[in-house]
């Protein structure tokens, strides 16, 4: 008991110290983004701005606004499509197992772990041939295809938890493959759709390798544009930090508003069924 | 027109016949549901890997595709290449440090948060939030924080320390091996800090879920027997968390082996390639230098390094399920 009484303050001390470490980048991001450029000096980096100056945001938003829109045009259809395909695959692999279904599942799953560098050269050749290179449409296609393994895994694990008896009784009532999917599986998995959608939204929004290799200039999503902000000769740290915050805002908002589902997705995406 | 029902069929056989027919059409539909995805995976994952492998054995090292057979030339070039040797060294040490710290910080914080802490959700959310960010954002911010002439060094200077972070070209505990100095590149520590900051939330979530899954009775029983809290963790809890540690290691290893965006956004290859990794080299050599065959060879080596971890894990977890 004595041990317990001493250790609680120590635990709180460690947790608070770690919280400060975790918040440090956010603090610096916010204060730097609110300073005018001439106040962003090395010596005063940690000090609060003397006056609030939004010119960093104005400049960052001016530069990133088209790319932010690109990211939205990309992420919304890609998320919806990959969730639907994932649900279809997951339904079959959980409830309509055929011979070799488990092997097929593992074969699909491996696609989740490959380094995308290992498919990038033929992918770009293919997109050029298909006329999809340097287009948002091409990026949507890519994210739907390479999102298949993870969305299939997530939906399969959700559907595996729905008791088989429910399917059987629905069959006795005369429901077929599609009827069961539409009237039983989809209504039961609304939460799963939310979890998968959050997962895909976050991943596609934050993705960089496909974005930087498949698109150039005005087709680029926001992460590539943010990276390019630092490419200029004089680094305007206030603009950069404002840009980083703007680019991070959508996924941060999703996390703040739907944090519970976000963490569920995190776990569902990692723990094997 | 009403069709004439054959009278010799009882109602039961009609029912079973129609059920059989419906089942098979259902089965067809199931295959139709999954077939498009399967074909896409077959082409875009396995077919493209095969094509990359083919390119890696070709002479395509200019803008113009040249698929003539080059044998192992591209691979031999890489393993004798100063930059690639440095990349392999960096990958080894980045992976070890990154996984080590992600596990220690995630497990440590999870155990602390599991002690019936007030405001636990507040702390939990604080440690999770970097997971919502892009590696590019993380890279941009930490590049500023670990800038050697400012950032955290403003505090460290007062303590008499002045680390050079990602601009440091020292190799700790280094010795000459091949063309490179083998040892821990000091500059990598900066990148590891940023990566650990970003990914700790993941292992924390995993360990917290694991800890919450251990029934209270297990601890209670051990307490009854007079075991100290420390002993309970060492002898009971930690062994129960081992499968989670395996999962965290596998997930972090595959992230670390293919890492690209964090390093590209934060430091780039660095002086003497002290922060270069195969992902960055592949990108630059292929898409900036047009050395497609070399780039394909780097990609294939990356794939093999990931597959060594992932394939046994996938096969094992499939078996465990059955």
């Amino acid at each position: 008991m004595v041990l317990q009484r001493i250790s609680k303050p120590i635990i709180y001390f460690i947790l608070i110290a770690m919280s400060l470490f975790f918040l440090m980048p956010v603090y610096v991001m916010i204060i730097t983004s609110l300073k005018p450029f001439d106040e962003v000096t090395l010596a005063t980096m940690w000090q609060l701005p003397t006056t609030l100056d939004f010119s960093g945001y104005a400049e960052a938003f001016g530069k990133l606004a088209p790319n932010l829109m690109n990211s939205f045009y990309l992420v919304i259809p890609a998320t919806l499509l990959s969730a639907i395909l994932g649900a279809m695959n997951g339904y079959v692999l959980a409830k309509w197992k055929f011979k070799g279904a488990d092997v097929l599942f593992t074969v699909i799953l491996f696609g989740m772990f490959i380094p995308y560098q290992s498919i990038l050269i033929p992918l770009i050749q293919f997109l050029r041939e298909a006329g999809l290179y340097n287009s948002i449409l091409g990026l949507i296609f890519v994210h739907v295809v390479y999102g298949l393994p993870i969305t299939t895994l997530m939906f399969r694990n959700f559907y595996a938890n729905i008791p088989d008896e429910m399917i059987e009784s629905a069959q006795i009532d005369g429901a077929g493959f599609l009827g069961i999917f539409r009237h039983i599986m989809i209504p039961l998995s609304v939460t799963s759709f939310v979890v998968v959608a959050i997962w895909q939204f976050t991943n596609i929004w934050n993705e960089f390798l496909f974005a930087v290799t498949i698109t150039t200039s005005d087709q680029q999503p926001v992460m590539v544009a943010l990276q390019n902000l630092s490419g200029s000769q004089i680094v305007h740290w206030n603009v950069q930090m404002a840009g980083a915050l703007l680019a991070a805002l959508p996924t941060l908002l999703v996390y703040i508003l739907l944090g519970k589902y976000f963490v569920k997705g995190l776990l569902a995406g990692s723990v094997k069924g | 027109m009403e069709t004439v029902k054959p009278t010799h069929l009882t109602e039961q056989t009609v029912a079973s016949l129609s059920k059989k027919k419906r089942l098979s059409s259902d089965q067809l539909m199931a295959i139709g549901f999954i077939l498009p995805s399967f074909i896409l995976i077959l082409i875009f994952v396995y077919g493209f890997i095969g094509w990359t492998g083919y390119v890696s054995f070709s002479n395509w090292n200019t803008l113009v595709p040249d698929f003539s057979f080059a044998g192992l030339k591209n691979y031999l070039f890489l393993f004798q290449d100063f930059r690639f040797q440095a990349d392999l060294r960096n990958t080894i040490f980045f992976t070890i440090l990154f996984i080590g710290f992600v596990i220690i910080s995630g497990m440590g914080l999870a155990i602390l948060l599991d002690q019936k802490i007030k405001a636990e959700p507040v702390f939990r959310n604080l440690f999770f939030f970097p997971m919502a960010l892009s590696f590019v954002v993380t890279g941009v911010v930490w590049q500023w924080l670990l800038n050697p002439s400012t950032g955290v060094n403003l505090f460290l200077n007062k303590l008499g320390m002045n680390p050079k972070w990602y601009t440091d070209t020292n190799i700790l505990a280094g010795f000459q091996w091949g063309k490179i100095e083998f040892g821990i590149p000091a500059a990598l520590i900066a990148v590891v800090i940023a990566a650990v900051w970003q990914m700790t939330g993941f292992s924390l979530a995993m360990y917290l879920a694991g800890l919450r899954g251990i029934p209270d009775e297990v601890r209670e029983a051990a307490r009854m027997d007079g075991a100290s809290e420390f002993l309970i963790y060492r002898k009971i809890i930690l062994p129960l968390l081992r499968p989670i540690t395996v999962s965290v290691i596998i997930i972090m290893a595959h992230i670390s082996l293919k890492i690209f965006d964090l390093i590209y956004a934060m430091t780039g290859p660095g002086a003497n390639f002290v922060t270069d990794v195969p992902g960055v080299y592949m990108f630059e050599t292929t898409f900036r230098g047009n050395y497609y065959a070399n780039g394909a060879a780097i990609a294939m080596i990356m794939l093999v390094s990931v597959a060594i971890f992932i394939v046994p894990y996938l096969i094992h977890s499939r078996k465990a399920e059955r």
Side-chain angles (χ1 to χ4, degrees):
Chain A
M1 280 316 279
V2 179
L3 185 86
Q4 218 101 10
R5 228 171 292 146
I6 306 170
S7 65
K8 271 278 152 106
I10 297 176
I11 291 176
Y12 280 106
F13 176 78
I14 298 173
L15 286 176
I16 290 169
M18 285 299 279
S19 303
L20 292 179
F21 171 73
F22 270 77
L23 284 174
M24 183 171 75
V26 180
Y27 170 76
V28 169
M29 255 167 119
I30 293 172
I31 59 160
T32 309
S33 68
L34 289 170
K35 286 175 185 172
F37 178 59
D38 50 14
E39 209 180 290
V40 188
T41 55
L42 300 180
T44 60
M45 170 170 169
W46 294 90
Q47 286 163 26
L48 291 169
T50 50
T51 51
L52 290 188
D53 183 287
F54 290 94
S55 61
Y57 280 95
E59 197 181 333
F61 188 75
K63 283 184 176 156
L64 296 183
N67 309 98
L68 281 165
M69 288 321 290
N70 285 343
S71 280
F72 280 112
Y73 294 142
L74 159 67
V75 80
I76 293 168
T79 299
L80 291 176
L81 277 172
S82 55
I84 292 166
L85 280 172
M88 288 164 61
N89 296 341
Y91 172 49
V92 173
L93 289 172
K95 294 298 173 207
W96 293 86
K97 287 196 179 171
F98 44 87
K99 212 168 172 251
D102 282 330
V103 177
L104 175 67
F105 181 47
T106 310
V107 164
I108 293 176
L109 224 49
F110 180 64
M112 193 164 104
F113 296 99
I114 58 162
Y116 292 134
Q117 283 86 353
S118 66
I119 46 91
L120 212 46
I121 292 170
L123 180 68
I124 286 172
Q125 285 182 283
F126 167 81
L127 291 176
R128 277 188 210 277
E129 295 288 319
L132 289 171
Y133 181 76
N134 193 22
S135 73
I136 300 291
L137 200 64
L139 266 186
I140 293 173
F141 177 78
V142 167
H143 280 292
V144 170
V145 170
Y146 294 103
L148 281 174
I150 181 83
T151 56
T152 301
L153 166 74
M154 287 165 104
F155 273 108
R156 182 197 161 278
N157 288 355
F158 291 129
Y159 288 149
N161 286 329
I162 294 174
D164 284 340
E165 290 77 38
M166 269 181 104
I167 312 289
E168 280 156 23
S169 66
Q171 280 178 327
I172 291 165
D173 291 345
F177 176 86
L178 280 177
I180 295 169
F181 186 56
R182 266 185 51 199
H183 299 297
I184 297 177
M185 302 306 262
I186 290 181
L188 280 176
S189 59
V190 173
T191 318
S192 323
F193 272 97
V194 176
V195 170
V196 171
I198 289 175
W199 174 272
Q200 282 299 88
F201 181 93
T202 311
N203 276 350
I204 299 170
W205 185 275
N206 289 340
E207 202 277 335
F208 183 69
L209 180 61
F210 285 140
V212 76
T213 45
I214 289 168
T215 56
T216 55
S217 63
D218 59 339
Q219 299 294 310
Q220 283 167 347
V222 70
M223 286 308 156
V224 186
L226 173 66
Q227 161 63 24
N228 289 345
L229 267 188
S230 61
S232 46
Q233 278 113 341
I234 308 162
V235 182
H236 289 244
W237 283 105
N238 59 334
V239 180
Q240 273 230 58
M241 292 298 128
L245 266 175
L246 285 176
L249 211 54
T251 52
L252 272 180
L253 278 179
V254 165
Y255 171 68
I256 291 165
L257 298 175
L258 300 162
K260 194 178 77 180
Y261 301 104
F262 183 87
V263 177
K264 258 191 195 169
L266 206 73
L267 295 174
S270 58
V271 183
K272 296 283 139 312
Chain B
M1 268 297 219
E2 204 172 292
T3 47
V4 183
K5 221 183 202 169
T7 46
H8 62 273
L9 287 177
T10 65
E11 250 178 87
Q12 217 183 346
T13 48
V14 171
S16 76
L17 259 181
S18 72
K19 193 178 176 204
K20 211 168 205 170
K21 191 165 169 249
R22 198 190 64 220
L23 261 182
S24 68
S25 78
D26 281 349
Q27 226 113 47
L28 274 178
M29 214 148 7
I31 291 167
F33 249 46
I34 203 163
L35 200 63
S37 298
F38 178 61
I39 292 171
L40 286 173
I41 296 279
L42 220 55
I43 296 170
F44 286 87
V45 174
Y46 293 92
F48 279 13
I49 286 174
W51 183 250
T52 305
Y54 181 71
V55 171
S56 76
F57 290 109
S58 78
N59 281 311
W60 184 14
N61 275 323
T62 54
L63 262 177
V64 188
D66 172 5
F67 297 116
S68 59
F69 186 66
L72 286 170
K73 195 184 84 187
N74 298 304
Y75 290 92
L76 290 175
F77 165 78
L78 282 176
F79 283 107
Q80 285 160 13
D81 179 33
F82 175 81
R83 181 171 182 178
F84 195 68
Q85 288 185 5
D87 287 357
L88 292 179
R89 170 199 67 202
N90 297 346
T91 302
I92 291 169
F93 288 107
F94 179 78
T95 304
I96 293 170
L97 293 172
F98 171 65
I99 296 179
F101 283 114
V102 164
I103 286 179
I104 291 168
S105 58
M107 191 197 277
L109 287 172
I111 289 175
L112 292 184
L113 284 179
D114 200 37
Q115 307 299 314
K116 303 200 170 59
I117 292 295
K118 280 192 198 110
E120 188 232 297
V122 177
F123 285 119
R124 210 179 45 207
N125 287 329
L126 270 177
F127 300 135
F128 279 155
F129 87 87
M131 288 295 307
L133 298 181
S134 162
F135 267 131
V136 176
V137 172
T138 303
V140 167
V141 178
W142 279 94
Q143 185 191 17
W144 181 220
L145 277 168
L146 296 180
N147 190 312
S149 52
T150 177
V152 291
N153 277 14
L154 291 182
F155 302 116
L156 295 178
N157 282 346
K158 287 181 186 150
L159 302 172
M161 286 186 277
N162 191 18
K164 287 187 287 219
W165 298 114
Y166 48 79
T167 61
D168 201 331
T169 50
N170 282 317
I171 308 294
L172 306 176
F175 56 90
Q176 199 65 29
W177 196 44
K179 284 184 179 164
I180 56 148
E181 205 181 339
F182 192 84
I184 307 172
L188 268 189
I189 292 167
V191 187
V192 169
I193 291 174
V196 170
W197 176 82
Q198 168 123 36
M199 296 310 294
T200 289
F202 177 83
S203 74
L204 170 63
M206 296 276 286
Y207 281 114
L208 212 51
L211 285 169
R212 297 283 145 88
I214 298 171
D216 276 338
E217 291 83 53
V218 176
R219 298 156 202 245
E220 283 305 324
R223 278 193 200 110
M224 292 288 222
D225 293 342
S228 69
E229 288 299 309
F230 178 72
L231 200 68
I232 293 175
Y233 272 99
R234 217 172 64 91
K235 291 279 179 193
I236 301 171
I237 310 282
L238 291 187
L240 284 173
L241 292 177
R242 197 169 295 151
I244 293 186
T245 304
V246 173
S247 292
V248 173
I249 289 176
I250 297 286
I251 307 272
M252 290 303 132
H254 101 271
I255 290 175
S256 156
L257 291 172
K258 60 195 195 189
I259 194 150
F260 163 70
D261 29 11
L262 174 69
I263 288 172
Y264 188 75
M266 187 171 167
T267 65
N272 258 338
F273 304 117
V274 280
T275 58
D276 198 43
V277 286
V280 173
Y281 190 12
M282 188 278 169
F283 175 77
E284 289 189 345
T285 200
T286 313
F287 302 108
R288 297 289 176 262
N290 296 315
Y291 294 98
Y292 284 86
N294 279 343
I298 299 171
M300 290 311 286
I301 294 167
M302 288 174 74
L303 178 74
V304 169
S305 73
V306 169
I308 288 170
F309 282 88
I310 294 302
V311 172
Y313 177 67
L314 279 181
I315 292 170
H316 176 79
S317 60
R318 283 303 100 206
K319 270 191 192 144
E321 197 180 317
R322 249 170 267 144

